[in-house]
Amino acid sequence: MKILVRCLGLLILAFLVLFILWLNTDKKNEYKNGFSRKFLSGIVTDSRSYTIDPQTYTDLCGANESKIYFKPRMIGSIIATDWHFENKTTINLGLSEELKKQIGYAYTAEVDSPFIYLYPYNIPAVIIYHLSSGKTSVIRKPGTFYTRSVAVTDSSFIFRQFITGEKDQNFSSWKISNNQLTKEVSFFPILKDEGISTDGFLLYSKPENLLLYSSFYKNSFYLFDTSLQLVNTFKTIDTITAPNIKTGEINGVLSTNVVPKKMVNRNSIIYGNVVLNDSRLMADNEKKSDFLNNSVIDIYHLKKGQYIGSFYLPVKDRDLPVKLAAIGNKIVSIGHRSLVIADIKI
């Protein structure tokens, strides 16, 4: 009997050891999302990571062949470095103390030499800084506040803005010359949730003269021209066709999300004739460790929407990208605490 009990104990112990080993094994995605990726080799040829001060380097606002431009947390300046993250220079934007106090942290920035565009969230205006002359212009736009914005030219802009009288948003175009919203359209039904469920990234391709809107919470991209005419819609490879969004109201006025949002597409950038999309969903053929220690970038043809393939962009200490920028053979990714610069070949 003692021998039988001992054998049974050893058998249970063996199964326990095997179970612990299985738990720690680097498995493929055990929670199936219903899609697979085609990984392309040799895309990232080198990468460097840096720890950053999150107050000084909050966001990327542009890049060219020689410089990367960063937005600090507080409005008032733009930081520029070279692609080795060295030779830092600070561009003072010449804003009044009153205006800086009014806008504070609530703004985005876009650098498209020779102009820097500042987009404040809390006033319906665009601030334009000329890099050569050092002149700053604060131009009030008609209509309401906006949440997404891009410059088509230095006097023409596309916004995603709140609809007057509705708790939702649409797209609008604005020309400074006549100070009028020349067109307003919506590609989505009016859901009266402040535009939360249809939130996304607004991008502009100057060579193609096309705009792209990528949804944060479902697998949809919208391609349209500068007259806000829809050109094409296409799906990303994942299977999330509807946003996991549930909104409630604060004091019966302001809508807000009341459940954790499932991010599908976190960042998108246009790179030549393709879209590089930072996806936050793991494919069924990925290893969990690979997915957690990298940012997975899916490549789509800009005009056709065709999926081309995917690659991993390294991240530092699982600090996933807040924003991406790419030009030439380089890509930069900024997180909350770190920066990654990589050489790529696409």
Side-chain angles (χ1 to χ4, degrees), residues 134-252:
K135 180 182 177 182
T136 303
S137 302
V138 181
I139 306 168
R140 298 277 175 163
K141 68 173 280 293
T144 58
F145 301 95
Y146 58 88
T147 58
R148 306 290 170 212
S149 47
V150 291
V152 175
T153 69
D154 63 324
S155 61
S156 178
F157 299 84
I158 305 295
F159 301 102
R160 188 164 191 250
Q161 66 173 23
F162 289 98
I163 307 169
T164 303
E166 296 281 0
K167 296 172 67 174
D168 217 315
Q169 298 185 50
N170 63 12
F171 296 94
S172 67
S173 59
W174 173 51
K175 293 185 183 297
I176 292 177
S177 56
N178 58 16
N179 198 28
Q180 291 183 350
L181 295 177
T182 55
K183 193 172 183 180
E184 294 182 61
V185 302
S186 181
F187 304 136
F188 317 108
I190 301 297
L191 301 175
K192 296 184 180 294
D193 65 352
E194 312 289 350
I196 294 173
S197 61
T198 52
D199 199 7
F201 249 107
L202 179 61
L203 307 166
Y204 175 60
S205 169
K206 188 176 289 186
E208 302 290 347
N209 198 32
L210 290 171
L211 296 117
L212 183 76
Y213 189 74
S214 64
S215 296
F216 283 153
Y217 308 117
K218 66 175 185 175
N219 61 348
S220 296
F221 282 6
Y222 302 83
L223 189 70
F224 53 103
D225 60 26
T226 52
S227 68
L228 304 186
Q229 182 70 35
L230 193 63
V231 173
N232 193 12
T233 62
F234 58 91
K235 303 292 185 184
T236 52
I237 58 174
D238 62 83
T239 55
I240 306 298
T241 58
N244 177 34
I245 299 290
K246 184 178 180 182
T247 59
E249 292 186 342
I250 299 175
N251 297 326

